[in-house]
Amino acid sequence: MDPIGAWQELGFRVGFTGHSGHLRVEPLSTVERSNPLSSLPDFILPPAFPEETPESIKKYIEETYLSPGLDPDEFSPEKVGRQWEFDWFDRAEVPLEPSLPRTVVVPVWEPPFRRQNDVSEQGKWEPKSEEVDVSELMVGDEDSGSLPRTSGSAKDFVRGSINSRPFRPAGLDNSQTLNRILPEGASNGEWVHEILNGGPPQTIPPGFKQGLDLGAFKPYPCSWNVYKDASSLRSSSVEKLSELSLQFDDLFKKAWEDGVTREQEKDEVESVTLDAEVDKAKVSSSMHEDEFSLDEVLSTKSEGSKPLIDASSDGGQQQKEAWARCRGSKEIIDHFHELVPDMALQFPFELDAFQKEAIYYLEKGESVFVAAHTSAGKTVVAEYAFALASKHCTRAVYTAPIKTISNQKYRDFCGKFDVGLLTGDVTLRPEASCLIMTTEILRSMLYRGADIIRDIEWVIFDEVHYVNDAERGVVWEEVIIMLPRHINIILLSATVPNTVEFADWIGRTKQKEIRVTGTTKRPVPLEHCLFYSGELYKICESETFLPQALKAAKDAFKKKHLTAVGGGSGRYSGTSAGHDGTQSQKRESAARLKHGSSFSKTSRGYQNNGNGQNNWELRRAEASMWLMLIKKLSKNSLLPVVIFCFSKNRCDKSADNMTGTDLTSSSEKSEIRVFCDKAFSRLKGSDRNLPQVVRVQNLLRRGIGVHHAGLLPIVKEVVEMLFCRGVIKVLFSTETFAMGVNAPARTVVFDTLRKFDGKEFRQLLPGEYTQMAGRAGRRGLDKIGTVVLMCRDEIPGDRDLKHVIVGSATRLESQFRLTYIMILHLLRVEELKVEDMLKRSFAEFHAQKKLPEMQELLKRKLNQPTKDIECIKGTPTIEEYYEAYSEAEKYNSEISDAILQSPSAQQFLAPGRVIVLKSESANDHLLGVIVKAPSANYKQYIVLVLRPDLPSPVENAPSRGNMQDKPSDFNQGYFVLPKSKRGFGDEYLTSVSARRGTGAVNITLPHRGFVSGISYEVREVDSKEFQCICNTKMKISQVGLLEDVSNAVYSKTVQMLLDLKSDGNKYPRPLDPVKDLKLKDVKLVETYHKWTKLLEKMTLNQCHGCIKLEEHIKLAKEIQKHKQEVIDLQFKISDEALQQMPEFQGRIDVLKEIGCIDDDFVVQMKGRVACEMNSGEELICTECLFENQLDQLEPEEAVAIMSAFVFQQKNTSEPSLTTKLSEAKHKLYNTAVRLGQLQVQKGLPIDPEEYAQENLKFGLVEVVYEWAKGTPFADICELTDVPEGLIVRTIVRLDETCREFKNAAAIMGNSALCKKMEVASNAIKRDIVFAASLYITGV
């Protein structure tokens, strides 16, 4: 068959297609023809890419990578201010990139003359290498949040993660890691010297086998300038080297250009010429005192290698006098609008002077401390910081100590700024530019390395004086210390005495200046009054105390009491008239204790204590007094009023007593009713009818409110909002209202000036009084604020009133203490040390401030020339003698009080007893004898001592007795006549006189003389001056020595003392401590023996009796004192001198013992679990988890037992628990006691039982158990006497604890416990307990 034509022209292929196998013909490309021109296509495309040239490549790189620009589609003018409506954190895709290495290998440079052992076979030097942490090479970058710290996952952007590294805190730049920023040799110019001399460069990177081939370097002769500071010391070459600095700019310019040097003045510059061929012998040879070898010059670290933060204009950290700047400039106030022409936020009122100063410094990017009274306008500074953060596209954080303040500030700022809220149980809009959070949340973010820290520009601390709080004040110090360098600080505080000191601590800690501003002027002046017997007595106005008004109040008090007892006897009248307040204060304390005990029994009304009549009378008197006060205030237009009572029960009872008082109009009643209906409509039916809700609504309709911690959160918020609206006229509140709510009133009333602080009843502190009194006076509404002090059965004294009203406020004091979770967080990161945290606490501020001075003093001490003792008997001899002398002095101080003052030693201290005294002028001891024991006229012992150190003859002659008959030639001294020339009387007196003396002392003490070739002295001596009681007793004549003053008796007595030393011993043997002194203490006897042996050792020393002993002892003492001063300075500079270092060591031992860290201080899994525990005591929570104490419990039972971690009230009714819960309770309590005993073993000062009771409170176990099972809230309130507000607060915190236990279980890998915690959290999260805040959702 002839071929088909198409076959020759068209190529095709045959194939099968589909499930049934249909035949398919597919055309192929055009058949190749024999003619090559015919194979060309009809259309030829241009090349896909033009030919690349160096210019085109350069242009492409510049346009693509080097030219900044924005996406024109996303950043067009039409889309300015666009907001995305989706959650960035859940939908953000973080590119997966390889993590940065934690360590790198860097070379170690060595001088040429030390390389003999490191030369390879080819004759080239191969440097050694060492492994260095990346963080040590890039310290400065960590503070700004850039590399090497990588970003975490998106879900941990706000809260952080236990796996993230914290940002390096500002102020830690002088830590030990900075000593190795660059390898040695790379930062001091030694490598430049070597290369210029023709040495081999380093061409092979560490870890590589091959490197660059740069060829052989030729020597390059050059010279450069070495600048010598004018203050350089010339004492030694080492000191000169420390003052030299090398200018590397000149060096490189001279080395690589034409070698042209700049001429400098001869007195500032010395030229050093480098020779091309440096002999190794010359390099390694010793340097002359006035000549420096090149290696030593170059090995001196240049000043430029120091961190930039130290190179301040004031001379760096060491020379900086103060970091707090508190000088206000009038120029700022006068030219404020010229200095800040474009304000980030406009205010509708004229700013005060301190506000202008603060805003000016904020615009300059500086940190500010604002101290002013309540309602003075400190919030303006916070608002401006928010505006600046929005303008700069950064973030600002507002942190407050109380959750109520956070919620209220969120409501206040919501309409002005892009605001988010972060508390323990609420997270709203965390992507906002202005975040409001509690201080604990911010601390957790810093420890857990939250990436949001990168964006923060301002952190605002409100109510800074809260740092004095014993429990939570440490959180403020931790946060301030942990803040990174790029964050500026704004501190808002009430007026405190040591504002500058606190600001100086912050500035020194963060290495940045703190501008201190503020005002002591109140926006609304205050007047202080006493309310007694229906009248107001103004006792203070404009900070000036008015004593005449106080006198009038006291006169009224006396008149009333005189009238009350007028019909009685006169003695009662006199007693009342003479009342001075002391007895009344005692009665008040007793009555208050009595009231306090009855108040603590219930929160739902009065208890019948068996005397109903007295109870009813007290209620009537109390109600009458409050009614009288309210009428007086209403008559004087002094409403609304806040009445501060320092007891929750007293607030409730005082409000309930005002049964017949109605202070609201019909329109106000309607407003209150509508507001309450809207607010409580979010509650379900049973919760709306809770007794507390109904009772508070009835009070509110009459214009009376109650505010304390026992109220339900939603009830408290209703009271606060209605008071701010002005419809509540009288509010009974505890002191938390002054701290947590910004709601000023016209008048403030103090129910009493005494309060119970958890430990004892005490007087109000001036700072507490000022904080509460500051709520009086509404700015813009009142010209003056009124403060009233209630007086019932007494008038306070002038002194107490002045102290409280016009006294100085409480100073800011450090409450810093170590916690286990703090230690574990810091040990988790190698770059942070616990010692650094301790050094930078406010408690160590003054010691660390003096550290540069101590370092300079230590340097001077070490550079002082040492003194040598030139002794012919050898230096070791005098050193041994002084060592024995010093040790004897130490033993003497130990035993002097114990032995010499003991009754057994006192019986030996009788006349004639030989004793050893310490010399006043010399360092040798003196031998003496007791002449007279203490008596009525002479309180001390009278002793005769030998004084070989006194010159002879002694210029002291007896002035009484038979010495008056002596010739006048003996005025310069008296001598004993030879025996042949003595008279009968003299000879008679040489023996012990049998005449009974009168006890008189006829000599003037001290009495000195010279007999038998030696001087003596008679003087009074205290028993503490006795060095030793000898076992020898002499027969002396007390009459001859003190009354007759006989020369012969003195000669005989002195000769007897000299005879005791004739046997070669300097002193007689001391009394035996066991046989003679009857001492029972083994340690004391052993010390006594050591002391006596030292005295004997000193007598056998060659230096004993040397004529230069005193001089050499003095010199040895100076040398030893110098050594001790150096040791003391070294200790004070070291970390061991920190106050809490012993406690830190003990806590470290505890963590090692329970397995949270290992012997190398590496945090183990148990420690990582403990880091998650923020709600309860971390050790008890961790042991509870690792002992699986919750595994056998149901979710409801587990969450009930966990309530012991967060419940805080001490005295509650005993809960009724099931058998399973009781067993779990005892097991958990025993674990806490065991941990307490372990801490005692490691030296921590705690009591195990108190430790367990303080951290575990089981009062709400039954309540939480029933709540988790679904019991209504009204029913669980009947199970306990704990107020409803504390129940809600505990359960809310318990939800946070469940989340922490869930995260800990995930770390442990316990999936069952993780699921159980999730179920438990859902079980308690319902109804009124978790009702949304009115501040957040609105009404």
Side-chain angles (χ1 to χ4, degrees):
M1 183 189 301
D2 295 332
I4 301 175
W7 176 262
Q8 299 177 1
E9 301 293 335
L10 180 65
F12 64 91
R13 66 180 178 180
V14 180
F16 295 95
T17 183
H19 296 283
S20 57
H22 295 290
L23 191 65
R24 185 181 65 181
V25 179
E26 295 180 356
L28 298 177
S29 60
T30 307
V31 180
E32 293 184 1
R33 300 172 183 175
S34 56
N35 187 1
L37 296 177
S38 62
S39 63
L40 293 176
D42 298 333
F43 176 73
I44 300 177
L45 293 174
F49 300 99
E51 183 179 359
E52 298 290 355
T53 62
E55 291 76 13
S56 63
I57 295 176
K58 181 179 179 182
K59 182 178 179 182
Y60 173 76
I61 293 176
E62 289 179 351
E63 293 178 351
T64 307
Y65 299 105
L66 302 182
S67 299
L70 299 175
D71 188 347
D73 296 331
E74 293 294 335
F75 295 93
S76 61
E78 293 80 9
K79 296 182 178 180
V80 172
R82 172 184 174 185
Q83 294 185 358
W84 290 265
E85 299 299 333
F86 62 90
D87 192 345
W88 286 93
F89 305 114
D90 291 338
R91 300 181 58 179
E93 296 182 1
V94 180
L96 298 179
E97 299 178 356
S99 59
L100 292 175
R102 294 295 298 272
T103 58
V104 295
V105 180
V106 298
V108 180
W109 192 90
E110 293 182 358
F113 54 84
R114 296 179 184 171
R115 300 179 186 168
Q116 286 80 6
N117 300 327
D118 301 329
V119 179
S120 62
E121 297 179 357
Q122 291 79 13
K124 293 184 178 181
W125 171 63
E126 295 181 358
K128 295 180 179 179
S129 301
E130 64 178 354
E131 191 174 10
V132 179
D133 198 319
V134 174
S135 62
E136 298 180 10
L137 303 177
M138 300 183 179
V139 175
D141 292 337
E142 291 187 22
D143 293 78
S144 59
S146 57
L147 296 178
R149 190 186 185 285
T150 57
S151 301
S153 60
K155 64 183 181 65
D156 299 326
F157 181 78
V158 177
R159 298 278 183 167
S161 170
I162 195 66
N163 299 317
S164 301
R165 298 168 57 200
F167 290 82
R168 177 177 290 278
L172 293 185
D173 300 322
N174 55 353
S175 60
Q176 297 178 358
T177 56
L178 283 184
N179 295 332
R180 297 172 56 192
I181 294 178
L182 293 175
E184 193 68 26
S187 60
N188 56 21
E190 293 175 341
W191 59 279
V192 180
H193 167 219
E194 183 179 357
I195 293 177
L196 295 181
N197 284 337
Q202 180 184 338
T203 59
I204 302 178
F208 284 71
K209 296 182 179 180
Q210 297 180 352
L212 299 175
D213 184 10
L214 302 178
F217 279 23
K218 296 181 179 181
Y220 187 88
C222 62
S223 63
W224 60 85
N225 297 326
V226 177
Y227 294 84
K228 183 188 299 182
D229 295 339
S231 61
S232 62
L233 301 176
R234 301 184 180 276
S235 58
S236 65
S237 60
V238 178
E239 293 177 356
K240 289 182 179 180
L241 284 174
S242 65
E243 300 295 328
L244 294 178
S245 58
L246 186 62
Q247 303 297 319
F248 288 103
D249 292 340
D250 293 343
L251 186 148
F252 284 113
K253 188 172 294 185
K254 297 175 188 302
W256 304 113
E257 294 180 358
D258 298 330
V260 179
T261 60
R262 298 180 182 178
E263 297 182 358
Q264 303 290 342
E265 296 181 7
K266 294 182 179 180
D267 56 347
E268 295 179 354
V269 182
E270 82 176 1
S271 178
V272 181
T273 305
L274 295 182
D275 193 359
E277 302 293 334
V278 179
D279 191 358
K280 291 185 179 180
K282 292 182 180 180
V283 174
S284 60
S285 62
S286 61
M287 181 180 57
H288 191 268
E289 183 177 358
D290 295 330
E291 297 176 357
F292 305 107
S293 69
L294 186 60
D295 284 331
E296 292 185 347
V297 172
L298 291 175
S299 64
T300 305
K301 273 199 173 184
S302 66
E303 297 297 328
S305 64
K306 292 184 179 180
L308 183 60
I309 193 69
D310 290 336
S312 62
S313 60
D314 292 339
Q317 178 187 0
Q318 306 298 332
Q319 289 78 21
K320 208 165 188 64
E321 295 180 0
W323 293 90
R325 297 286 185 261
C326 53
R327 294 181 180 177
S329 176
K330 194 173 182 300
E331 297 295 326
I332 298 176
I333 302 170
D334 295 340
H335 303 87
F336 174 73
H337 296 288
E338 290 82 358
L339 294 172
V340 189
D342 184 18
M343 293 183 63
L345 179 65
Q346 298 293 334
F347 297 95
F349 51 85
E350 179 64 22
L351 297 175
D352 293 338
F354 78 93
Q355 294 170 338
K356 291 181 179 180
E357 287 185 22
I359 289 176
Y360 169 73
Y361 293 129
L362 293 186
E363 286 283 356
K364 293 180 62 179
E366 299 185 21
S367 299
V368 177
F369 193 142
V370 181
H373 285 294
T374 305
S375 303
K378 299 188 292 290
T379 310
V380 167
V381 183
E383 292 181 3
Y384 198 83
F386 278 2
L388 279 179
S390 301
K391 180 179 180 181
H392 298 164
C393 298
T394 57
R395 297 180 191 268
V397 170
Y398 183 98
T399 173
I402 298 178
K403 181 181 174 182
T404 306
I405 300 180
S406 300
N407 292 339
Q408 192 178 39
K409 292 300 180 183
Y410 176 79
R411 183 196 64 174
D412 295 343
F413 293 150
C414 240
K416 301 178 182 179
F417 307 103
D418 179 25
V419 185
L421 179 65
L422 296 174
T423 59
D425 57 322
V426 176
T427 300
L428 290 177
R429 303 191 70 250
E431 73 277 4
S433 62
C434 304
L435 296 176
I436 300 173
M437 63 184 69
T438 56
T439 317
E440 282 78 6
I441 297 295
L442 180 56
R443 177 183 64 171
S444 177
M445 291 166 56
L446 290 169
Y447 277 137
R448 298 164 69 91
D451 288 312
I452 197 174
I453 301 294
R454 301 174 186 270
D455 304 337
I456 297 177
E457 182 183 8
W458 305 97
V459 170
I460 305 157
F461 293 94
D462 198 5
E463 307 288 350
V464 172
H465 48 274
Y466 202 81
V467 76
N468 281 339
D469 185 75
E471 292 295 326
R472 299 171 59 198
V474 60
V475 181
W476 292 73
E477 293 192 52
E478 286 184 73
V479 170
I480 290 173
I481 295 172
M482 288 294 296
L483 286 177
R485 182 192 299 174
H486 68 275
I487 296 179
N488 292 320
I489 303 173
I490 300 173
L491 302 112
L492 310 178
S493 170
T495 53
V496 290
N498 58 336
T499 303
V500 176
E501 178 189 11
F502 193 77
D504 192 26
W505 164 69
I506 297 176
R508 193 170 298 273
T509 302
K510 311 312 294 179
Q511 293 292 289
K512 59 174 64 177
E513 288 186 355
I514 307 294
R515 297 288 181 173
V516 180
T517 184
T519 179
T520 57
K521 180 182 177 182
R522 287 187 176 275
V524 179
L526 296 182
E527 62 176 12
H528 304 263
C529 305
L530 294 180
F531 181 77
Y532 177 73
S533 187
E535 295 295 331
L536 290 173
Y537 299 90
K538 187 187 299 184
I539 60 172
C540 184
E541 186 177 16
S542 301
E543 306 296 330
T544 303
F545 202 75
L546 306 176
Q548 61 273 17
L550 181 60
K551 184 177 182 300
K554 289 186 176 182
D555 291 342
F557 173 81
K558 292 178 181 179
K559 183 178 179 181
K560 181 178 180 180
H561 275 248
L562 286 172
T563 305
V565 297
S569 60
R571 59 180 179 177
Y572 292 104
S573 301
T575 303
S576 298
H579 176 76
D580 60 354
T582 304
Q583 297 296 330
S584 293
Q585 186 172 356
K586 294 181 179 178
R587 289 198 302 270
E588 180 211 2
S589 300
R592 197 161 302 284
L593 284 170
K594 181 179 178 181
H595 287 309
S597 62
S598 64
F599 290 163
S600 62
K601 292 179 181 178
T602 181
S603 63
R604 296 178 178 83
Y606 288 88
Q607 291 289 320
N608 191 346
N609 55 6
N611 194 346
Q613 184 66 26
N614 291 340
N615 196 4
W616 173 250
E617 291 178 358
L618 287 174
R619 291 183 61 183
R620 286 188 59 187
E622 191 80 5
S624 175
M625 183 197 64
W626 288 123
L627 185 60
M628 192 184 307
L629 173 65
I630 299 305
K631 286 184 177 179
K632 188 72 173 178
L633 296 178
S634 178
K635 181 180 179 181
N636 296 336
S637 301
L638 296 179
L639 296 180
V641 59
V642 177
I643 302 175
F644 286 108
C645 305
F646 302 105
S647 165
K648 296 188 290 290
N649 296 322
R650 187 160 183 79
C651 288
D652 290 331
K653 292 178 180 180
S654 298
D656 292 339
N657 285 338
M658 302 179 65
T659 53
T661 305
D662 192 346
L663 303 173
T664 56
S665 62
S666 57
S667 60
E668 289 173 337
K669 284 183 172 60
S670 175
E671 182 181 354
I672 293 172
R673 184 180 294 107
V674 171
F675 186 90
C676 290
D677 291 344
K678 287 184 179 180
F680 294 127
S681 62
R682 63 191 66 199
L683 304 179
K684 71 176 188 179
S686 60
D687 291 339
R688 295 178 195 170
N689 298 322
L690 288 172
Q692 187 182 96
V693 175
V694 175
R695 184 175 68 89
V696 171
Q697 287 190 77
N698 291 333
L699 289 173
L700 292 176
R701 291 190 186 100
R702 293 188 285 117
I704 302 171
V706 178
H707 188 280
H708 55 72
L711 294 180
L712 294 166
I714 190 172
V715 174
K716 269 202 302 187
E717 291 176 350
V718 167
V719 172
E720 293 166 6
M721 291 182 174
L722 287 176
F723 187 82
C724 291
R725 292 191 176 194
V727 294
I728 296 180
K729 309 302 181 181
V730 178
L731 178 64
F732 292 92
S733 172
T734 56
E735 60 183 319
T736 54
F737 184 82
M739 173 70 75
V741 184
N742 183 18
R746 176 65 180 86
T747 305
V748 163
V749 175
F750 287 89
D751 179 43
T752 178
L753 289 181
R754 297 176 62 81
K755 63 173 285 189
F756 184 73
D757 60 0
K759 298 180 181 179
E760 61 179 356
F761 280 93
R762 62 168 175 82
Q763 196 84 4
L764 274 183
L765 299 176
E768 296 170 338
Y769 180 88
T770 304
Q771 178 76 20
M772 288 180 273
R775 295 300 175 190
R778 299 162 294 181
R779 190 171 188 177
L781 297 177
D782 305 322
K783 293 183 179 180
I784 194 168
T786 304
V787 182
V788 179
L789 308 180
M790 296 293 295
C791 299
R792 291 178 174 83
D793 56 350
E794 70 166 347
I795 303 295
D798 305 22
R799 190 174 182 182
D800 293 341
L801 288 174
K802 286 181 180 179
H803 173 70
V804 172
I805 297 176
V806 296
S808 178
T810 308
R811 292 171 54 86
L812 296 178
E813 300 288 348
S814 175
Q815 302 296 332
F816 188 86
R817 68 181 188 278
L818 280 172
T819 59
Y820 290 105
I821 194 169
M822 178 200 304
I823 296 174
L824 290 171
H825 273 302
L826 295 175
L827 291 179
R828 191 172 57 86
V829 184
E830 296 178 359
E831 293 85 356
L832 303 180
K833 295 173 59 180
V834 183
E835 292 86 344
D836 290 333
M837 180 72 80
L838 292 176
K839 288 178 185 177
R840 285 156 178 81
S841 67
F842 190 37
E844 297 285 345
F845 167 60
H846 293 289
Q848 294 298 313
K849 189 176 181 180
K850 297 177 181 177
L851 193 60
E853 300 177 9
M854 289 190 291
Q855 290 173 340
E856 186 65 28
L857 181 59
L858 177 61
K859 183 179 179 181
R860 291 201 302 267
K861 291 281 185 185
L862 293 175
N863 292 335
Q864 283 181 1
T866 57
K867 299 179 181 179
D868 295 328
I869 302 176
E870 298 178 358
C871 181
I872 58 174
K873 298 179 181 180
T875 304
T877 304
I878 186 62
E879 288 181 351
E880 292 174 2
Y881 187 89
Y882 180 75
E883 183 179 353
Y885 170 79
S886 302
E887 196 171 356
E889 289 291 318
K890 182 182 69 173
Y891 288 149
N892 175 63
S893 62
E894 293 178 7
I895 65 177
S896 59
D897 293 336
I899 293 181
L900 299 176
Q901 302 297 329
S902 63
S904 56
Q906 292 294 327
Q907 64 183 0
F908 288 95
L909 297 176
R913 175 64 59 183
V914 180
I915 46 91
V916 179
L917 293 179
K918 180 180 178 181
S919 174
E920 296 178 355
S921 58
N923 290 289
D924 203 3
H925 302 308
L926 305 176
L927 187 63
V929 62
I930 297 177
V931 179
K932 182 179 176 62
S935 60
N937 295 329
Y938 295 90
K939 304 299 183 183
Q940 297 177 322
Y941 292 92
I942 297 179
V943 297
L944 184 148
V945 291
L946 303 182
R947 294 294 301 269
D949 56 312
L950 291 179
S952 58
V954 180
E955 298 181 1
N956 185 14
S959 58
R960 303 188 62 178
N962 63 351
M963 291 302 294
Q964 295 176 355
D965 302 330
K966 298 292 179 182
S968 58
D969 331 356
F970 296 111
N971 288 338
Q972 298 300 320
Y974 51 90
F975 304 90
V976 180
L977 297 174
K979 189 174 183 179
S980 59
K981 298 183 180 181
R982 294 178 193 166
F984 174 75
D986 291 339
E987 183 66 26
Y988 172 75
L989 289 173
T990 55
S991 61
V992 178
S993 175
R995 180 171 69 86
R996 192 178 188 87
T998 62
V1001 178
N1002 296 327
I1003 58 175
T1004 303
L1005 300 177
H1007 171 76
R1008 295 176 179 177
F1010 183 82
V1011 295
S1012 302
I1014 190 170
S1015 299
Y1016 69 87
E1017 182 181 29
V1018 181
R1019 58 187 173 96
E1020 288 185 286
V1021 174
D1022 188 77
S1023 60
K1024 295 182 179 180
E1025 299 183 40
F1026 294 163
Q1027 281 284 345
C1028 176
I1029 306 175
C1030 300
N1031 62 357
T1032 305
K1033 188 172 183 181
M1034 297 167 39
K1035 291 184 178 181
I1036 63 169
S1037 172
Q1038 190 180 99
V1039 176
L1041 292 173
L1042 300 179
E1043 294 185 29
D1044 300 337
V1045 197
S1046 171
N1047 293 342
V1049 175
Y1050 276 99
S1051 177
K1052 180 71 173 179
T1053 307
V1054 170
Q1055 189 61 46
M1056 292 171 65
L1057 287 174
L1058 292 174
D1059 291 342
L1060 295 176
K1061 304 169 65 174
S1062 60
D1063 57 353
N1065 294 328
K1066 188 171 183 180
Y1067 309 112
R1069 296 187 63 82
L1071 291 172
D1072 187 270
V1074 179
K1075 295 180 180 179
D1076 300 326
L1077 298 178
K1078 310 298 182 184
L1079 297 179
K1080 305 290 185 181
D1081 192 347
V1082 178
K1083 292 184 178 179
L1084 197 58
V1085 173
E1086 183 180 355
T1087 304
Y1088 191 89
H1089 281 303
K1090 290 180 181 179
W1091 179 52
T1092 54
K1093 288 180 181 179
L1094 281 173
L1095 295 181
E1096 295 177 2
K1097 181 181 178 182
M1098 291 168 63
T1099 59
L1100 299 177
N1101 192 287
Q1102 296 181 10
C1103 294
H1104 194 71
C1106 176
I1107 58 175
K1108 290 191 173 183
L1109 177 61
E1110 180 180 353
E1111 177 185 348
H1112 290 173
I1113 284 288
K1114 186 177 181 181
L1115 192 57
K1117 188 175 182 179
E1118 291 180 3
I1119 295 175
Q1120 184 63 28
K1121 180 182 178 182
H1122 178 267
K1123 292 181 180 178
Q1124 190 61 41
E1125 288 176 351
V1126 171
I1127 294 174
D1128 292 342
L1129 285 172
Q1130 290 173 340
F1131 173 77
K1132 291 178 181 179
I1133 293 174
S1134 66
D1135 294 341
E1136 300 300 323
L1138 298 173
Q1139 295 178 9
Q1140 301 191 34
M1141 185 56 67
E1143 181 184 353
F1144 169 59
Q1145 298 294 345
R1147 290 181 180 267
I1148 284 291
D1149 294 338
V1150 171
L1151 292 175
K1152 287 182 180 179
E1153 185 70 24
I1154 65 178
C1156 288
I1157 59 176
D1158 61 10
D1159 293 336
D1160 297 326
F1161 302 99
V1162 177
V1163 179
Q1164 306 299 303
M1165 178 189 289
K1166 203 170 188 179
R1168 290 166 57 83
V1169 169
C1171 288
E1172 294 285 347
M1173 304 301 171
N1174 295 307
S1175 300
E1177 214 285 334
E1178 49 270 21
L1179 292 190
I1180 302 178
C1181 294
T1182 304
E1183 288 297 307
C1184 173
L1185 284 176
F1186 277 82
E1187 291 177 358
N1188 300 321
Q1189 296 186 14
L1190 303 179
D1191 286 1
Q1192 303 302 321
L1193 302 178
E1194 296 298 323
E1196 297 82 3
E1197 297 170 332
V1199 74
I1201 287 295
M1202 289 164 57
S1203 68
F1205 296 129
V1206 296
F1207 183 50
Q1208 295 179 341
Q1209 186 168 321
K1210 295 181 180 180
N1211 301 321
T1212 60
S1213 58
E1214 188 66 25
S1216 176
L1217 305 181
T1218 64
T1219 305
K1220 205 170 181 180
L1221 283 175
S1222 297
E1223 293 177 357
K1225 170 187 172 183
H1226 291 302
K1227 188 181 296 185
L1228 184 60
Y1229 186 82
N1230 293 335
T1231 299
V1233 173
R1234 176 174 56 83
L1235 288 172
Q1237 293 171 348
L1238 175 62
Q1239 295 177 75
V1240 172
Q1241 295 174 7
K1242 301 304 181 182
L1244 296 179
I1246 64 171
D1247 181 79
E1249 292 292 337
E1250 290 183 4
Y1251 170 77
Q1253 295 171 5
E1254 189 69 25
N1255 293 289
L1256 294 177
K1257 298 181 179 66
F1258 298 95
L1260 285 185
V1261 173
E1262 180 187 9
V1263 171
V1264 175
Y1265 178 64
E1266 294 295 335
W1267 177 254
K1269 289 172 60 178
T1271 306
F1273 189 80
D1275 295 339
I1276 68 170
C1277 290
E1278 301 297 329
L1279 301 176
T1280 180
D1281 58 353
V1282 178
E1284 294 90 333
L1286 294 182
I1287 295 175
V1288 172
R1289 181 181 179 187
T1290 300
I1291 298 177
V1292 169
R1293 293 189 61 194
L1294 195 54
D1295 177 59
E1296 184 179 356
T1297 306
C1298 289
R1299 290 199 300 269
E1300 294 172 357
F1301 272 62
K1302 178 183 175 182
N1303 296 335
I1307 295 175
M1308 298 169 59
N1310 191 341
S1311 58
L1313 181 60
C1314 189
K1315 181 66 176 176
K1316 183 180 295 185
M1317 290 296 101
E1318 186 176 354
V1319 174
S1321 177
N1322 294 330
I1324 63 175
K1325 210 182 297 185
R1326 61 183 176 87
D1327 298 346
I1328 191 172
V1329 174
F1330 284 86
S1333 171
L1334 299 179
Y1335 288 117
I1336 298 174
T1337 60
V1339 180

